Amino acid sequence: MPTRPPSMGYPATLSEVARLAGVSLPTASKAMNGRGDVAAATRKRVLDAAEQIGFTPNQLARSLLVGRSGTVGLLTSDLEGRFVLPILMGAEDAFGAGQVNVFLCDARGDHIREQHHLKALLNRRVDGIIVVGRQTDPRPSLGHDLPVPVVYAYAPSDDPDDLSLTPDNEAGSRLAVEHLIACGRSRIAHITGDPSYAAAQDRVRGVQQALAAAGLELHGEAMFSEWSERWGRDAAAVLLDRHPEVDAIACGSDQIARGVLDTLRDLGRLVPDDVAVVGYDNWEVLTTNARPELTSIDANLQQLGREAALALFRAMDSSQPEPKGVQYKPVRLVIRGSTIAHR
Amino acid sequence: MPTRPPSMGYPATLSEVARLAGVSLPTASKAMNGRGDVAAATRKRVLDAAEQIGFTPNQLARSLLVGRSGTVGLLTSDLEGRFVLPILMGAEDAFGAGQVNVFLCDARGDHIREQHHLKALLNRRVDGIIVVGRQTDPRPSLGHDLPVPVVYAYAPSDDPDDLSLTPDNEAGSRLAVEHLIACGRSRIAHITGDPSYAAAQDRVRGVQQALAAAGLELHGEAMFSEWSERWGRDAAAVLLDRHPEVDAIACGSDQIARGVLDTLRDLGRLVPDDVAVVGYDNWEVLTTNARPELTSIDANLQQLGREAALALFRAMDSSQPEPKGVQYKPVRLVIRGSTIAHR
DNA sequence: AAACTCCTCGAAACCCTTTTCGCAGAACCT
DNA sequence: AGGTTCTGCGAAAAGGGTTTCGAGGAGTTT
């Protein structure tokens, strides 16, 4: 009696292929995988048989045997955030090209859930893990007693022995302010978001570095509150009341910049003629629909995700000690109408 | 000689646990899984041993044996879109609670890539697949010769024998217009996006149903172009030039509504006093930062994802014929300041 | 014709876990 | 004391594939 009802069980097995082709099971395996030691005619018979009954190799069995699953875990702290998705896309893209599939786990900011997902991933014998955070603030390490390599993206690990990839926020706002200065501005203000975010602090630092390098000073204090359009509007109103001479505003996010643009418009200040504005994040929905379109800093998040995937690949393959620590990845300036008229 | 160098191989196996606990392998298995037939003392010995060497059960082996992997595939046509993510979250959430893990595959709108991912998922023996599209236009079915159940979310399958869950766009804009009428508006216009989208057509139909039910007519033609703020601005300018009497505008998206709000402000029309505005999608970043905040239609996408997961669950468990066809899921109205003053 | 090489193929072991089934021994009954 | 019922545990098979190694046959050489 056959172990499986013939011609009905959907996932045909290799032994059925072998039987149909009139060869032994190992020969069928070799034929399917292009290993040597199989005559051309035999190989063809096997391939035809496989085709005929719609054989699909069972990855579970293969993985079990060879000791690697060809899967990785993508552990996000929060899917909601706008920054996670591009990283996800980049990573999925890079892995997809290498026959690796991605388990998506969303811990929703909960440590317990994160541990639970981590355990599930290890049980499934993933070959590696990418941890994606929603902020650039350091996050607790998963630890080093894991049987697989881990790469942290966006939110770096707080353990310097881990490998973390995060955008260079300091360089980003430096770039923005250097651009403003190159545009002939000298009375530059900075409106940004929640001061408890490392991103806010890093970007302020970048602004000040660029100003100092040009022998300039910030006009007014850096203004912190929340990452919202509303705050951008309010802050700009206050700023222009106190410092009407300002001729450029570097913003901590595109949302804030959108609010700033609104207030400038309300006050009759022309952008970029009277005041130049630069955002941060290059969130296209916001930047390309602004009036005028918004110059911004793009963190190349998709590229970041791709690089995280590649770093993990290397760590998986070689199991040699990969370079460690936090790598700050370059960002780029995208110039639009809010800093240069007529584009 | 042990098959594995002792106390080094990271993934400890059950047989090592058994050896350490001084029992046979099957007994260890029973002890770990809480099956009967194991004395309490023995069970404790086994659990202690497992704890000691950090045993994690190999899901690959278990899956291979029991014939289901406890994984599902999430096949998206495009991760970029704003609508896919909430659905993803809902689905991942629902599955996560049920010990099921999710393979994320992004076909990026490419049919070839989709087929490639589908094959990979089947090779990995997923127990089911959710297909998430980025538009509500029907999409080609994956077919019925698949060994696992499939549920389509957002973009319905073009095959009525498939199960599809999609938001009820017609009801959505009906809801929006009924709300405008309830607010005392009667001279209502409609500005929407790309006419090649089913969403645009469905929403126009809903608008007209609600108007007809109240004995009203649309002011001006429905205005189609693209789903952007820019178009919202331009369309509103044209509309108010030709039909200055308009007292409410139902928009096909929040982005369009934001543009409409901008133009109304430029023209000195008060919102909602002179003109009420309602958006669509309830994209919080846009709605809650608008001036005034934007009333909108929420498609409950996270809930949609969760329901898709549950439907797939049922189909996987029972393998009974699930209900088929396209299910239109209810949407809800979120009222904010753009239709009612003072909230 | 014998010896040798090369090429194809199959037997068997292995990956890790679950499950069925039967075997002992202990406890219970009469 | 002898028979019966539990109880706790282990031997073996199963799940689907890969790999090593050896066997047999054909072709080549001396």
Side-chain angles (χ1 to χ4, degrees), chain A residues 23-24 26-27 30 37-39 42 64-65:
Chain A
V23 299
S24 77
T27 302
K30 286 176 221 160
D37 277 6
V38 173
T42 311
L64 179 60
L65 188 60

Side-chain angles (χ1 to χ4, degrees), chain A residues 128-166:
Chain A
I129 296 178
I130 293 185
V131 179
V132 188
R134 69 174 149 190
Q135 304 174 206
T136 55
D137 298 71
R139 51 147 290 148
S141 172
L142 289 185
H144 289 277
D145 47 352
L146 296 178
V148 295
V150 180
V151 174
Y152 297 79
Y154 205 69
S157 163
D158 61 4
D159 183 336
D161 282 347
D162 289 322
L163 173 60
S164 307
L165 273 51
T166 190

Side-chain angles (χ1 to χ4, degrees), chain B residues 5-331:
Chain B
S7 79
M8 167 257 133
Y10 253 119
T13 76
L14 188 56
S15 69
E16 296 178 50
V17 174
R19 202 185 321 146
L20 185 58
V23 299
S24 78
L25 195 151
T27 301
S29 171
K30 286 176 221 160
M32 291 298 300
N33 298 334
R35 299 220 168 269
D37 278 7
V38 173
T42 311
R43 164 159 299 139
K44 175 154 172 30
R45 274 214 321 285
V46 172
L47 292 179
D48 287 351
E51 169 79 3
Q52 183 184 333
I53 64 176
F55 168 72
T56 57
N58 189 329
Q59 275 291 347
L60 295 173
R62 178 179 293 179
S63 300
L64 179 60
L65 190 59
V66 302
R68 34 169 59 199
S69 63
T71 62
V72 301
L74 234 153
L75 197 49
T76 77
S77 64
D78 189 354
L79 264 182
E80 201 134 13
R82 134 157 174 56
F83 306 112
V84 172
L85 193 59
I87 298 176
L88 222 75
M89 288 178 60
E92 198 274 345
D93 184 30
F95 283 125
Q99 311 281 31
V100 170
N101 281 99
V102 171
F103 279 117
L104 178 64
C105 297
D106 180 10
R108 276 175 290 155
D110 181 9
H111 180 70
I112 307 282
R113 231 187 304 256
E114 180 172 290
Q115 286 301 115
H116 174 256
H117 276 142
L118 175 59
K119 200 164 165 187
L121 289 174
L122 294 179
N123 286 354
R124 294 205 183 278
R125 295 299 189 261
V126 293
D127 298 329
I129 296 176
I130 292 185
V131 178
V132 187
R134 69 175 149 187
Q135 303 175 205
T136 56
D137 299 71
R139 51 145 290 147
S141 172
L142 289 186
H144 289 275
D145 46 352
L146 297 178
V148 295
V150 180
V151 174
Y152 297 80
Y154 206 70
S157 162
D158 61 3
D159 184 334
D161 283 346
D162 290 321
L163 173 60
S164 306
L165 272 53
T166 191
D168 191 341
N169 275 316
E170 233 174 83
S173 54
R174 219 157 48 216
L175 222 55
V177 171
E178 283 164 1
H179 171 61
L180 290 174
I181 294 171
C183 291
R185 314 296 165 141
S186 59
R187 300 184 296 279
I188 299 172
H190 184 44
I191 300 176
T192 190
D194 189 330
S196 72
Y197 279 56
Q201 300 296 342
D202 293 344
R203 290 172 194 175
V204 167
R205 216 172 304 123
V207 167
Q208 269 154 350
Q209 288 168 6
L211 288 172
L216 296 174
E217 283 201 349
L218 195 62
H219 272 241
E221 299 284 310
M223 302 177 77
F224 296 92
S225 175
E226 52 173 42
W227 303 104
S228 73
E229 265 183 85
R230 185 186 311 277
W231 162 240
R233 289 195 298 259
D234 295 347
V238 171
L239 173 69
L240 290 171
D241 184 52
R242 290 199 209 144
H243 300 274
E245 77 283 5
V246 158
D247 65 3
I249 305 176
C251 300
S253 81
D254 290 333
Q255 292 194 64
I256 291 172
R258 282 295 298 260
V260 168
L261 286 181
D262 273 358
T263 292
L264 289 173
R265 188 176 189 84
D266 287 352
L267 297 178
R269 304 285 192 109
L270 295 182
V271 178
D273 310 73
D274 300 336
V275 182
V277 175
V278 50
Y280 205 112
D281 294 335
N282 194 33
W283 190 354
E284 302 248 341
V285 166
L286 296 181
T287 56
T288 63
N289 282 290
R291 286 184 298 176
E293 294 194 7
L294 191 58
T295 294
S296 190
I297 303 294
D298 191 310
N300 296 322
L301 292 179
Q302 203 163 338
Q303 178 62 19
L304 188 82
R306 212 172 285 129
E307 288 188 30
L310 295 180
L312 189 61
F313 251 134
R314 285 193 296 274
M316 280 162 26
D317 285 352
S318 63
S319 78
Q320 284 166 22
E322 277 288 304
K324 301 182 169 188
V326 181
Q327 291 185 16
Y328 295 93
K329 291 296 169 184
V331 300

